[in-house]
Amino acid sequence: MPNLEHPAYPASALLQLESLVPCRESQVSMLLSIFGERQQFSFPSIFIYGHTASGKTYVMQTLLNTLKLPHVFVNCVEYFTSRLLLEEILMQLQSHSSETQQTSHVPCENFNDFVRLFKQAVASRELQDQTVYIVLDRAEQLREMEANILPAFLRLQELTDKNVTVVLLTEIVWELFRPNNGCFEPLTLYFPDYSIAHLQKILSQNHPPEYSADFYAAYINILLGVFYMVCRDLKELQHLAVLNFSKYCEPVVRGEANERDTHKLWKNIEPHLKKAMQTVYLREISSSQWERLQHDNGEPGPLKGLSAHTHVELPYYSKFLLIAAYLASYNPARTDKRFFLKHHGKIRKTNSIKKHEKTSSHLIGPKPFPLDRLLAILYSIVDNRVAPTANIFSQITSLVTLQLLSVVGRNDQLDGPRYKCTVSLDFIRAVAR
Amino acid sequence: QQIQEDLNKQLFDNLVSFLRRSHSGFQEKTTEWTCRMKTREIPTAALVLGVNVTDHDLTFKSLTEVLHNNVTPYIALLEAKDCPGIKNLMRKLIGQLMNCRVDVDSLEEEDYVQVSQNRIPCSMTSLISWYESVTKKTDAGTPRKRRTSSSRHWQSPPVVVMFQDMESFTTRVLQDFIVISSQHIHELPLVLIFGIATSPMIIHNLLPHSVSSLLCIELFQSLSCKEHLSTIIDKLLLTAQFPFKLGEKVLQVLINIFLYHDFSVQNFVKGFQLCILEHFFCQPLSVLCCQLGDVKKKVNSLSHNQCENIRRLPSFRRYVESQASEQQIALLTEDNSLKETIQKLLEDLHIYHENYIPVLRCLHVFTSSLPKYPLGKQIRELHCACLENRVWETEEYESSLQLARMLNRSDLVTMLQQCVEILVSSPGKEFDEPVEKLKEFLTQFQKLEEEAFQEWDVSVSSPKELQKKTDLYHLQKTLLELKESRRSKKLTKFEMLRFEVIEYIDSLVRNYLVPADHKTLHEIMYFNTASVLREHLNAAPRIALHTALNNPYSYLENQALKSDGGSISNKAPDICIVYKLHLECGRLINLSDWLEAFSTVVMGAEGPNADAASSDHVDDVIHARFIRAVSELELLGFIKPSKQKADHMARLTWGGC
């Protein structure tokens, strides 16, 4: 295990940092060596990527906080326009040092203003001798803002002529960011996924105070054994661990087993965890419902999950409309005559061709069809006469709002609208019953 | 028409109170979760409402009201059409929240609010700072109107955000919003409510796992709209409270529209209102359709003309014919005697209603548990059947009685008990006797039960005897005997009694469930012109347009336009001629051919001499008229210019392709 060493920072702070970021020592030391000393100019922009919950945000935050480096931390999802983003950065910058004076709202329309205001802010706060870090979390959102934002952030140091470093955090690789007309290449840094040993170590670290660390570690071991196959997301695992821990402790609380009796505990918890995997992990039932279920302890009948209520009640004609739409989407138009007319022509096709069609039509997905065809099929599948009243038409639009049908190519209202059926075969089967 | 207004009000009150009740359960749960908030999960309610989208507005409005009164003043209701992007969503959300604050805090700091609308950026931070300022103020300041109970979490009331139509929101917007708000859940206690029309699976379809794991979803199913309808029918039609009634056909039309088309309770209520309107508007005698207390006054104030109207009613004529001759004369000539009889008859009608409904409910108790439901599962079906004609003459009734004769004892007893309850709770005065009778049946059943127990003891002892006998022949014999005895002895008493009960119910039905058409003066209370209603509610735009253009006489009612069909008259408006000509064409219409045909039709009147003059050259006026008519058709959306061929129009109307 490489110990963190850096001449510029006090050893105590480094030690604390090391204890806070387990399994990320190499990344942290790399970052530290890039950052250099406080007053040294650092690399203008750093690009950090890695899979979900690999500790990018957390490492950045703890690093900057424990070493008390001046920084700004913004989430690009939250500040969804460039203007909001820039203003937020300036606001945070202002509030950093000048606690005494109230932060005032500065309007900042574009990047030019930003550069100007940024210079002012940095100059006014005697920060020239320190590197200011701007961390942009979920930086993939930057690509959807104005075209100049991303390249400008990458060379902010050059533009402002100040000691500043921009750190981008994201889940996707740099190649997907690179604009067409080229830009300053940032320093890329990869955060690998945690391994199972890492997960074990991190999860066992924050054990509840009532129980010993070993006991909790054993529990985490069991939990990982069940869930590691399906889920490697640290956050998700943490959530599950918290939810199921009380159940695990139950025999101990009742006095049936002591903390060392792992086998007994394992027997107790295992079916429970399996059930959790089927329900809570998929968010079929919410965690509060799950807790209540644990509280009741007994089995008050299986709690209905979200997917249990798949049945949809539809009015009589809506059902037929939906079925007609499904038929129109998945059958080629030329077979209509054969299916829906009483005196259809001879079926000449060989079996093999038909089979080929049948498999492919579901793989290709629904095809659009005009309104007239839908109505024609409707008339032929409904037994009694249906008048084309306004009610029928309004039902079609209400099906569209329910996202059971979707409109294809709505540019011309006059032209007969074309629809697509978006529901699955199972759904149609349920409706048709 | 004051009565009608009253009715409407009552009706809406009914509806709202109903909705409130259905949500009250949900309501309590909301308050529960708010205190149990998880670390980063946003508590979310998924409210499955069914496909009747038109009703949702009302539901959400009443839900907002309820929440506002009981839980929190901070409620925002978002609709998909207002929020195409996350920016619009935030703006709308903040606007609604800040406005509702103005409502609560009366008028203090008005200037601040006015400024805020424009200047405050639409971000979560501003929302949070706003929320902090508001809650701080309430903690220190004046007590609010809302229930500040002892529990702690009232100190920071949750902010409720409702998404009215979850399906229509774009996934991006929802995802972003959820991610943002999950970051700030600690500072801003947020509760989301999703209105879902189809099935909860839509949440998983819309949101990826990483987002939905931020939610703590709990599911609530609202009542199905069919049940909703039955309650409304129960409350509106099956009470003697409202004098206005629907005839069989009308009710059928309304229910059909509901079941076949939209499942919308609101539309049903609107249809009902239309019936009321139509009835009071078209039926001059509807003044008499009022509460029983007012009848006397109204009858006395009838004018001579109105009396004549009454005499013309078919049901009244039938009544007169059945009377003695001198009475007939009196009724037909003297207004005063007529008024007396009317009063009496109306009272009769009222009593009939009072009796009709409980008996109907009793019958429903019996029929609803029969296998295959020969008379329908719902009480509305039974109601329709009873209104249509004499219910006891129908085959379904026969078969249901047959089935009822085969009911087992426990079912029968519970049914009888239910019937007794219904009859006792009903306001009618004539039910003392039937109640007595039914109670008597019940006691008889009880007696029978006791007897049966005794016999059971006997029969239990007999198998023991059987075991002693080893002879096969004897065994068979005794078994047969046992069977015989059981069939003949024990069950006969029960069967007799059962038979009696059914007979009695039958007699009740025959007495009280006479269809309303057979009652005198039913026209006053019943609205029965279904065709009018159908015309109003089942709009058929295609047919209407076609008749208007194909047969202009039907709307313009100009004698000159009356045509015998087939041929195209030149007196019709230009657009009609153009329309008729275009009906004869295929998908693409050649404009010059069309113009020629048009000019021939128009010139037809001017005679053959004019025709010769302009055979090769079309008159400018006619040309202009033609262009105008064609552009009118284009405006109506029947044709559009085609890019496939020059000088051609594409036909868009039915049968074109």
Side-chain angles (χ1 to χ4, degrees):
Chain A
M1 202 202 295
N3 263 326
L4 296 177
E5 277 177 12
H6 203 275
Y9 304 102
S12 63
L14 287 175
L15 262 178
Q16 195 196 351
L17 183 66
E18 193 179 335
S19 70
L20 280 174
V21 285
C23 318
R24 280 282 173 257
E25 290 84 5
S26 62
Q27 278 83 14
V28 170
S29 66
M30 168 79 108
L31 277 172
L32 279 180
S33 52
I34 295 169
F35 286 175
E37 287 173 35
R38 273 172 196 274
Q39 70 280 3
Q40 286 170 346
F41 271 63
S42 164
F43 205 76
S45 52
I46 304 168
F47 181 86
I48 299 176
Y49 68 104
H51 203 257
T52 321
S54 50
K56 304 176 294 288
T57 313
Y58 177 72
V59 165
M60 244 3 250
Q61 231 158 2
T62 38
L63 177 68
L64 293 171
N65 279 332
T66 43
L67 297 182
K68 299 200 177 57
L69 299 171
H71 68 277
V72 171
F73 207 98
V74 278
N75 188 334
C76 297
V77 179
E78 191 182 335
Y79 304 98
F80 38 84
T81 62
S82 61
R83 187 184 157 171
L84 279 175
L85 184 73
L86 298 176
E87 282 173 2
E88 177 63 24
I89 293 172
L90 289 174
M91 288 264 274
Q92 284 195 22
L93 212 55
Q94 274 188 343
S95 63
H96 246 287
S97 62
S98 46
E99 288 91 357
T100 47
Q101 103 191 42
Q102 191 65 37
T103 53
S104 61
H105 183 73
V106 257
C108 173
E109 291 285 349
N110 52 32
F111 214 89
N112 193 17
D113 285 348
F114 176 71
V115 170
R116 183 170 53 82
L117 290 166
F118 183 82
K119 270 189 205 167
Q120 277 175 18
V122 172
S124 66
R125 291 172 43 219
E126 300 98 33
L127 281 173
Q128 282 109 320
D129 54 341
Q130 292 185 43
T131 317
V132 177
Y133 297 94
I134 296 176
V135 185
L136 301 172
D137 200 359
R138 309 211 35 174
E140 61 268 18
Q141 297 289 326
L142 287 179
R143 297 181 299 170
E144 271 144 55
M145 295 175 188
E146 286 88 340
N148 69 336
I149 295 287
L150 180 62
F153 265 123
L154 288 175
R155 56 200 331 159
L156 189 64
Q157 199 174 63
E158 188 184 326
L159 288 171
T160 55
D161 207 14
K162 297 283 172 196
N163 190 356
V164 61
T165 296
V166 176
V167 183
L168 304 175
L169 303 180
T170 183
E171 287 174 12
I172 56 179
V173 293
W174 165 246
E175 278 69 33
L176 293 170
F177 272 83
R178 194 177 287 139
N180 293 332
N181 41 5
C183 67
F184 184 82
E185 292 282 326
L187 191 72
T188 56
L189 195 63
Y190 176 60
F191 273 47
D193 282 353
Y194 289 115
S195 69
I196 188 163
H198 288 160
L199 286 175
Q200 167 87 36
K201 194 173 163 196
I202 297 165
L203 283 172
S204 339
Q205 208 172 34
N206 49 351
H207 62 89
E210 306 95 82
Y211 297 95
S212 71
D214 286 347
F215 177 65
Y216 195 74
Y219 165 67
I220 291 299
N221 199 6
I222 291 170
L223 187 88
L224 279 177
V226 176
F227 282 106
Y228 188 69
M229 295 298 286
V230 291
C231 170
R232 296 174 187 202
D233 190 334
L234 181 62
K235 276 185 226 155
E236 199 69 11
L237 284 170
Q238 219 154 15
H239 176 74
L240 288 165
V242 171
L243 272 184
N244 294 310
F245 187 61
S246 66
K247 186 80 181 174
Y248 182 73
C249 296
E250 229 166 52
V252 181
V253 173
R254 281 203 304 262
E256 286 170 11
N258 64 9
E259 294 194 4
R260 304 246 158 258
D261 206 350
T262 21
H263 185 69
K264 207 170 187 176
L265 290 172
W266 183 76
K267 273 210 161 155
N268 177 49
I269 193 75
E270 205 229 351
H272 191 71
L273 286 180
K274 288 247 165 83
K275 215 169 86 193
M277 187 154 75
Q278 282 162 11
T279 52
V280 182
Y281 173 58
L282 296 174
R283 304 287 156 171
E284 288 285 301
I285 63 177
S286 67
S287 45
S288 63
Q289 275 173 322
W290 179 251
E291 273 176 356
R292 214 176 304 145
L293 199 68
Q294 283 187 337
H295 208 68
D296 295 347
N297 214 349
E299 297 291 307
L303 234 171
K304 274 187 180 174
L306 282 179
S307 54
H309 304 267
T310 41
H311 180 63
V312 177
E313 246 180 42
L314 284 174
Y316 186 74
Y317 283 137
S318 294
K319 280 183 190 168
F320 277 107
L321 270 173
L322 202 58
I323 294 168
Y326 186 78
L327 290 173
S329 277
Y330 285 100
N331 287 329
R334 64 199 151 79
T335 57
D336 281 358
K337 204 175 168 193
R338 180 147 59 86
F339 288 146
F340 302 116
L341 280 185
K342 284 211 175 81
H343 309 287
H344 54 75
K346 281 262 165 70
I347 304 165
R348 271 189 225 150
K349 282 171 200 107
T350 53
N351 245 353
S352 61
I353 293 173
K354 249 200 313 197
K355 206 177 250 172
H356 169 249
E357 260 174 17
K358 199 171 183 183
T359 50
S360 63
S361 69
H362 280 281
L363 285 178
I364 292 167
K367 285 191 269 306
F369 53 87
L371 176 66
D372 287 334
R373 190 168 159 231
L374 172 70
L375 289 178
I377 294 178
L378 175 73
Y379 297 146
S380 72
I381 60 173
V382 179
D383 292 335
N384 43 358
R385 244 187 87 255
V386 195
T389 59
N391 278 330
I392 297 274
F393 295 122
S394 69
Q395 269 179 62
I396 295 175
T397 44
S398 79
L399 284 177
V400 171
T401 53
L402 294 180
Q403 299 216 322
L404 298 173
L405 300 182
S406 64
V407 183
V408 183
R410 64 173 73 202
N411 45 8
D412 192 357
Q413 288 291 327
L414 273 185
D415 211 352
R418 295 164 77 79
Y419 297 95
K420 229 180 203 184
C421 184
T422 54
V423 294
S424 64
L425 180 63
D426 293 336
F427 189 90
I428 283 292
R429 282 216 179 104
V431 167
R433 222 182 295 121
Chain B
Q1 306 287 10
Q2 210 170 359
I3 308 160
Q4 181 213 332
E5 272 170 30
D6 280 358
L7 258 179
N8 285 354
K9 211 185 281 170
Q10 268 166 326
L11 194 138
F12 268 118
D13 281 352
N14 263 351
L15 196 67
V16 168
S17 71
F18 174 79
L19 284 169
R20 208 169 277 165
R21 231 182 314 123
S22 73
H23 281 297
S24 61
F26 158 73
Q27 172 49 84
E28 284 155 20
K29 285 173 197 158
T30 354
T31 58
E32 269 176 42
W33 318 308
T34 44
C35 50
R36 233 194 297 137
M37 243 181 273
K38 294 288 309 173
T39 44
R40 265 189 65 175
E41 290 185 324
I42 312 166
T44 309
L47 202 58
V48 181
L49 288 167
V51 293
N52 45 340
V53 190
T54 35
D55 294 351
H56 293 179
D57 253 344
L58 209 65
T59 316
F60 271 100
K61 227 170 264 167
S62 61
L63 179 63
T64 324
E65 214 171 276
V66 171
L67 285 175
H68 197 278
N69 291 337
N70 298 330
V71 187
T72 167
Y74 313 117
I75 298 164
L77 180 64
L78 300 172
E79 281 176 58
K81 62 171 188 269
D82 301 328
C83 315
I86 181 80
K87 201 170 165 185
N88 310 52
L89 187 138
M90 292 302 288
R91 180 166 292 152
K92 187 93 187 159
L93 175 70
I94 289 172
Q96 279 193 17
L97 285 174
M98 298 210 170
N99 272 338
C100 81
R101 193 198 125 218
V102 179
D103 291 345
V104 176
D105 287 3
S106 64
L107 296 170
E108 58 175 310
E109 273 194 89
E110 246 186 10
D111 48 342
Y112 169 71
V113 177
Q114 275 167 4
V115 174
S116 74
Q117 283 298 323
N118 301 323
R119 215 193 272 168
I120 284 198
C122 306
S123 70
M124 216 58 184
T125 22
S126 58
L127 191 63
I128 289 165
S129 59
W130 162 79
Y131 182 77
E132 271 169 5
S133 72
V134 170
T135 43
K136 227 176 264 167
K137 210 182 290 162
T138 51
D139 283 351
T142 54
R144 289 274 182 88
K145 259 187 276 174
R146 78 191 142 81
R147 238 179 14 188
T148 35
S149 59
S150 52
S151 54
R152 230 196 92 259
H153 63 260
W154 286 115
Q155 300 277 307
S156 51
V159 175
V160 178
V161 180
M162 295 198 261
F163 296 89
Q164 189 170 339
D165 34 3
M166 171 98 175
E167 280 91 351
S168 321
F169 277 96
T170 45
T171 38
R172 241 340 258 293
V173 173
L174 271 182
Q175 280 175 31
D176 284 355
F177 180 71
I178 290 168
V179 169
I180 292 171
S181 44
S182 80
Q183 303 249 320
H184 295 283
I185 191 74
H186 293 296
E187 296 124 66
L188 189 72
L190 208 65
V191 178
L192 305 182
I193 297 178
F194 293 144
I196 295 173
T198 49
S199 75
M201 281 307 285
I202 196 84
I203 295 177
H204 290 307
N205 292 347
L206 279 179
L207 304 173
H209 185 255
S210 61
V211 176
S212 67
S213 65
L214 296 173
L215 298 175
C216 174
I217 303 168
E218 220 156 308
L219 195 67
F220 297 94
Q221 191 107 35
S222 77
L223 273 183
S224 99
C225 33
K226 278 180 187 166
E227 285 166 43
H228 200 140
L229 178 78
S230 344
T231 20
I232 283 193
I233 288 183
D234 239 28
K235 285 217 176 113
L236 286 178
L237 301 178
L238 301 178
T239 52
Q241 223 179 336
F242 308 118
F244 176 76
K245 302 274 179 222
L246 288 179
E248 181 269 331
K249 276 181 201 143
V250 176
L251 186 60
Q252 203 73 54
V253 167
L254 281 179
I255 289 177
N256 276 353
I257 287 178
F258 180 81
L259 288 182
Y260 283 179
H261 290 294
D262 50 7
F263 267 178
S264 160
V265 176
Q266 218 182 348
N267 281 359
F268 181 83
V269 171
K270 281 200 180 127
F272 186 70
Q273 284 168 343
L274 181 73
C275 292
I276 297 173
L277 204 73
E278 194 71 28
H279 180 68
F280 283 101
F281 193 67
C282 299
Q283 177 65 264
L285 289 173
S286 55
V287 274
L288 290 177
C289 178
C290 57
Q291 303 287 351
L292 192 62
D294 305 334
V295 165
K296 200 171 181 182
K297 219 169 28 184
K298 292 227 170 148
V299 168
N300 283 334
S301 64
L302 282 181
S303 67
H304 178 71
N305 234 345
Q306 282 168 320
C307 290
E308 283 300 313
N309 271 336
I310 288 174
R311 283 181 192 125
R312 259 179 249 133
L313 289 178
S315 69
F316 189 72
R317 266 198 234 147
R318 240 180 290 143
Y319 172 73
V320 168
E321 276 158 24
S322 66
Q323 299 294 312
S325 58
E326 55 267 26
Q327 197 140 24
Q328 276 187 10
I329 294 164
L331 279 176
L332 290 178
T333 51
E334 290 170 41
D335 282 358
N336 279 338
S337 70
L338 176 77
K339 281 175 187 171
E340 269 169 37
T341 5
I342 289 171
Q343 208 171 320
K344 202 167 73 56
L345 285 171
L346 282 175
E347 269 164 33
D348 278 354
L349 206 57
H350 189 77
I351 291 166
Y352 157 76
H353 282 145
E354 273 187 351
N355 297 336
Y356 173 87
I357 290 149
V359 174
L360 184 74
R361 281 180 201 275
C362 287
L363 186 60
H364 178 240
V365 167
F366 272 89
T367 53
S368 60
S369 59
L370 296 175
K372 282 197 210 152
Y373 311 107
L375 275 171
K377 205 173 179 179
Q378 305 280 348
I379 197 163
R380 57 170 187 261
E381 293 166 55
L382 192 65
H383 183 55
C384 281
C386 290
L387 283 175
E388 198 176 358
N389 45 34
R390 292 191 176 116
V391 73
W392 58 88
E393 285 168 0
T394 57
E395 273 176 39
E396 288 88 2
Y397 184 74
E398 272 306 310
S399 64
S400 63
L401 273 195
Q402 289 273 323
L403 286 169
R405 286 195 191 105
M406 284 182 272
L407 285 169
N408 66 358
R409 205 196 58 240
S410 59
D411 285 353
L412 204 57
V413 169
T414 49
M415 281 179 201
L416 280 177
Q417 275 162 349
Q418 280 175 3
C419 289
V420 170
E421 271 168 35
I422 291 167
L423 292 182
V424 166
S425 62
S426 72
K429 290 131 203 151
E430 294 178 18
F431 286 123
D432 295 343
E433 185 239 345
V435 166
E436 282 301 307
K437 188 89 179 166
L438 287 177
K439 277 184 179 161
E440 198 184 306
F441 281 132
L442 272 175
T443 50
Q444 277 179 346
F445 270 116
Q446 244 150 24
K447 256 186 226 160
L448 256 185
E449 202 171 351
E450 283 158 20
E451 281 170 34
F453 264 122
Q454 284 163 6
E455 275 182 39
W456 181 245
D457 288 342
V458 175
S459 61
V460 165
S461 61
S462 61
K464 280 175 190 164
E465 286 166 30
L466 278 179
Q467 283 166 355
K468 288 171 197 166
K469 291 169 189 171
T470 44
D471 188 357
L472 196 67
Y473 172 72
H474 275 287
L475 186 81
Q476 209 172 12
K477 207 175 167 185
T478 39
L479 272 176
L480 271 177
E481 269 172 25
L482 258 176
K483 218 190 237 172
E484 284 284 294
S485 66
R486 238 178 239 166
R487 194 180 289 158
S488 55
K489 200 172 42 184
K490 199 176 75 188
L491 289 181
T492 37
K493 253 188 201 166
F494 169 64
E495 269 181 350
M496 291 264 282
L497 196 56
R498 187 165 62 182
F499 205 73
E500 262 177 61
V501 171
I502 302 299
E503 283 288 281
Y504 186 69
I505 294 289
D506 188 33
S507 72
L508 273 183
V509 168
R510 275 161 205 270
N511 257 339
Y512 294 113
L513 291 192
V514 185
D517 307 10
H518 296 257
K519 286 281 170 187
T520 319
L521 291 184
H522 69 91
E523 287 93 338
I524 290 177
M525 307 268 192
Y526 283 84
F527 176 70
N528 221 348
T529 43
S531 57
V532 179
L533 193 67
R534 204 173 289 145
E535 224 169 80
H536 283 302
L537 293 183
N538 268 345
R542 268 190 191 190
I543 294 170
L545 270 175
H546 186 77
T547 40
L549 290 172
N550 210 19
N551 186 15
Y553 173 72
S554 66
Y555 283 97
L556 296 177
E557 294 189 353
N558 185 350
Q559 280 302 322
L561 294 176
K562 211 169 183 179
S563 69
D564 45 341
S567 68
I568 303 169
S569 150
N570 59 345
K571 292 186 195 74
D574 292 344
I575 188 169
C576 295
I577 300 171
V578 171
Y579 175 78
K580 274 191 180 178
L581 287 170
H582 113 283
L583 281 183
E584 294 162 6
C585 300
R587 222 184 86 71
L588 286 175
I589 306 166
N590 189 333
L591 271 178
S592 62
D593 288 355
W594 202 359
L595 172 60
E596 214 149 274
F598 178 74
S599 70
T600 2
V601 171
V602 174
M603 301 295 276
E606 266 101 88
N609 51 342
D611 194 21
S614 62
S615 55
D616 51 343
H617 176 71
V618 181
D619 188 9
D620 277 351
V621 177
I622 289 176
H623 201 151
R625 276 167 67 186
F626 173 74
I627 287 170
R628 184 181 160 161
V630 167
S631 55
E632 271 172 351
L633 272 192
E634 195 181 340
L635 188 72
L636 285 174
F638 289 174
I639 50 172
K640 68 162 190 177
S642 151
K643 279 171 198 145
Q644 293 169 18
K645 261 180 175 177
D647 296 338
H648 277 66
M649 297 294 265
R651 183 176 160 184
L652 296 171
T653 43
W654 37 95
C657 38

